[in-house]
Amino acid sequence: MEITIGILGFITAIIAIIDFTYNFFSKPKIEEETNLLEAQFKATQKLSEEVQLNIENYILKANAANKLLFKDMTFSSYLTHMRETHNENLSDSLYERLSNLELTKSNTVFIIKSLEFQFSALLRIKNKMQLLNLLHSKKIALTKKENLALRQI
């Protein structure tokens, strides 16, 4: 009886090791994770470019280069930061390098989650810029309290 339990425990441990190795160190399924990674990368890249253009246009239209976008960051410094971040994390050359790498499933999932986080942050900035553009086009002035609340978005 004890030998049977020992053998079953050993077999269970082997199955767990094989399952762990397969799930965390295997190459992603080419059709699923890799395609999702490529799609998420391109969508995030496109949104980043769109947001940069929106900020650049707003700076020109509203003469807002030195106005605060966030508590401690002007529109122009944020645009510079976005361009640098885009070149480091969302460039076409990085996309090509990612396409040629043999990523594990866990690496692919990590990169996808990182891109989803970036996409979400970019959407928040896009929405903020749309609101600022609407307010500027309507020449609506915000109260000091509303302006501070908007900077925290």
Side-chain angles (χ1 to χ4, degrees):
M1 178 77 169
E2 290 178 10
I3 294 174
T4 306
I5 293 174
I7 293 172
L8 288 175
F10 179 74
I11 291 171
T12 303
I14 296 294
I15 291 171
I17 290 170
I18 291 170
D19 184 55
F20 176 81
T21 303
Y22 176 76
N23 284 328
F24 291 99
F25 297 108
S26 66
K27 293 180 185 175
K29 296 176 185 170
I30 293 180
E31 294 180 18
E32 293 175 16
E33 285 90 357
T34 303
N35 289 342
L36 181 58
L37 172 61
E38 291 174 358
Q40 187 66 52
F41 188 96
K42 284 299 187 180
T44 305
Q45 182 186 52
K46 183 179 177 184
L47 182 59
S48 174
E49 292 166 351
E50 183 182 337
V51 170
Q52 288 176 57
L53 186 60
N54 289 346
I55 293 172
E56 187 175 345
N57 288 336
Y58 183 78
I59 288 172
L60 294 172
K61 181 171 56 174
N63 194 22
N66 296 318
K67 294 180 182 175
L68 290 176
L69 175 60
F70 298 111
K71 184 178 178 183
D72 298 328
M73 190 172 283
T74 64
F75 281 89
S76 62
S77 60
Y78 186 73
L79 181 59
T80 300
H81 171 72
M82 273 197 75
R83 287 178 175 154
E84 291 169 357
T85 302
H86 181 89
N87 289 336
E88 291 172 10
N89 300 319
L90 296 170
S91 66
D92 287 330
S93 62
L94 180 59
Y95 177 78
E96 291 301 320
R97 283 191 293 171
L98 277 175
S99 298
N100 295 327
L101 288 176
E102 293 185 22
L103 297 170
T104 63
K105 184 177 181 177
S106 60
N107 286 342
T108 303
V109 169
F110 176 78
I111 294 170
I112 290 169
K113 288 188 185 293
S114 175
L115 288 167
E116 288 172 348
F117 179 78
Q118 289 178 48
F119 191 87
S120 175
L122 287 166
L123 276 178
R124 287 192 301 273
I125 295 298
K126 180 182 177 182
N127 290 338
K128 182 174 184 171
M129 293 310 302
Q130 287 175 335
L131 177 60
L132 288 171
N133 274 313
L134 176 66
L135 293 174
H136 180 73
S137 68
K138 301 290 185 188
K139 305 285 187 215
I140 299 173
L142 297 177
T143 66
K144 185 174 183 178
K145 184 177 179 182
E146 290 169 331
N147 204 351
L148 288 173
L150 185 59
R151 286 189 187 142
Q152 294 176 355
I153 295 177

